[in-house]
Amino acid sequence: MVLRAALLQMNVVWGDPAVNRRTAERMIRALKDTDIVFLPEMFTTGFMASDTSQAEPMEGPSVGWMRRIAAETGMALAGSLVIGDGTGRPSNRFLFAFPEGRLVWYDKRHLFSFSGEERFYAPGTERVVIEYKGFRILPMVCYDLRFPVWSRNRNDYDVAVYTASWPKTRIAAWDALLRARAIENQCYVLGINRVGSDPSTRYDGHSVGLDFLGDTLASLPEGEEGVVRVELDGARLAEYREHFRAWADADDFVLGR
C-alpha cells in the first residue's frame, strides 16, 4: 500500500484567486502517477490574517475549482481557503476534495494571535481524520504545528499534513517542529509551505516529506517554486510501529475544548 503525494510549493500572488488557481492548475496538470496533491495555506489569496473581504462560500469558485480539478485528473486535492457565508466570522478551512466529488474539511483550530487572525476568523472545534486509499490523514493548518497535544497520535492516523504560510523569519521552528511531530507520533509528516512574499513578510518554502523516524524523504531548494514528490509506504510504517511500540506506552488523557 503506497500513497503518491505531490506538495505544491507555490509563489502565491497576494489577493488574486484567479491567478493563483491558474498557477496551481498548471502545476497539477503536469503531474503524473499521483494520488493526491496538497496546496499551501490560503493558496488562492495569501495569508490574509486581518482581511476577510475575499472569503468565499462553499458554493464559490475556488471550492468548485478544487472539485473540478480532482474529478478531471483523478487526484484528490487538498489545501486551505478563506471560507464564509457572510453571516459571521469566516474559517481558515482545510478542504479535501475527493475525485468522485465528495468534500471533507477541517477548520483551523489555533488562530495566529500574533497577526490578529483570532479577531477575524472563527476557530475550529473538531479534530478530523480523513481516510483515503488506505491511509488515515490528519489535516492541520500552519500555527496548529506549534501545539503538539492537538496533533497527538492516538493510533488513529498515519499521515499528519501541515499546510502553511510560514515566514522566513521563523523557518527554523518550522523545520524542527515538523521533524518532532513525525518522531513523537510515529507517523509520516507532510509540510506544505509557500514561497514569494506578501505586504508584510517573505516565505522561503521548506516544504518537505518526512518519514516516521524524522528522516527527509524529499524537499526542494530554499525559495524555489516547484513540487515535492513523495511516496508513503503503509506497510513500512505498520512494520515499524509494531516493532517499536512507543505509541502503546503514551499517556492516556482526554482532550477538552
Side-chain angles (χ1 to χ4, degrees):
M1 182 174 62
V2 173
L3 185 68
R4 302 166 300 177
L7 321 181
L8 268 56
Q9 186 163 286
M10 292 173 55
N11 186 348
V12 179
V13 177
W14 179 252
D16 199 331
V19 166
N20 292 318
R21 288 193 298 265
R22 287 198 296 270
T23 297
E25 183 165 350
R26 170 181 53 81
M27 297 172 76
I28 292 166
R29 292 196 182 277
L31 297 170
K32 298 184 183 304
D33 301 321
T34 302
D35 298 311
I36 185 166
V37 180
F38 292 101
L39 300 126
E41 180 184 23
M42 295 190 185
F43 70 90
T44 60
T45 60
F47 182 57
M48 294 190 158
S50 58
D51 180 357
T52 61
S53 62
Q54 297 206 45
E56 296 183 20
M58 288 292 283
E59 301 77 22
S62 293
V63 177
W65 174 86
M66 291 182 72
R67 298 181 77 169
R68 176 176 63 83
I69 296 300
E72 291 176 358
T73 63
M75 297 180 282
L77 197 59
S80 111
L81 298 169
V82 184
I83 298 292
D85 60 8
T87 62
R89 288 185 294 171
S91 299
N92 186 343
R93 179 163 292 175
F94 184 114
L95 280 150
F96 192 108
F98 289 78
E100 68 272 19
R102 186 162 60 98
L103 284 173
V104 180
W105 59 86
Y106 158 76
D107 291 339
K108 184 178 182 182
R109 163 78 165 185
H110 299 93
L111 301 177
F112 193 44
S113 59
F114 186 76
S115 65
E117 186 182 15
E118 87 290 355
R119 301 201 313 270
F120 298 91
Y121 291 82
T125 59
E126 300 294 331
R127 187 175 177 274
V128 176
V129 175
I130 302 165
E131 294 195 20
Y132 182 65
K133 289 190 175 292
F135 284 79
R136 300 167 301 169
I137 299 170
L138 179 78
M140 293 278 155
V141 181
C142 203
Y143 196 42
D144 286 330
L145 177 62
R146 288 186 177 269
F147 301 92
V149 172
W150 194 238
S151 297
R152 164 75 176 275
N153 195 342
R154 300 191 285 269
N155 200 24
D156 59 346
Y157 72 84
D158 310 302
V159 187
V161 178
Y162 298 90
T163 183
S165 293
W166 199 286
K168 177 180 179 179
T169 53
R170 294 184 290 277
I171 202 65
W174 165 261
D175 294 338
L177 292 172
L178 286 172
R179 184 159 280 108
R181 298 294 90 82
I183 295 168
E184 72 193 7
N185 291 303
Q186 295 184 285
C187 68
Y188 288 108
V189 164
L190 304 179
I192 306 93
N193 194 29
R194 60 163 295 185
V195 293
S197 60
D198 63 24
S200 62
T201 194
R202 177 166 183 80
Y203 305 89
D204 268 359
H206 289 228
S207 300
V208 66
L210 300 168
D211 72 8
F212 37 81
L213 299 173
D215 292 334
T216 300
L217 299 172
S219 61
L220 281 175
E222 186 171 271
E224 180 179 301
E225 185 175 63
V227 180
V228 178
R229 301 297 306 271
V230 293
E231 289 194 356
L232 310 182
D233 187 330
R236 184 168 167 252
L237 172 62
E239 181 181 6
Y240 171 74
R241 297 186 83 234
E242 180 59 30
H243 172 70
F244 186 64
R245 295 173 57 85
W247 58 269
D249 299 324
D251 301 301
D252 187 25
F253 67 93
V254 175
L255 184 65
R257 298 234 174 156

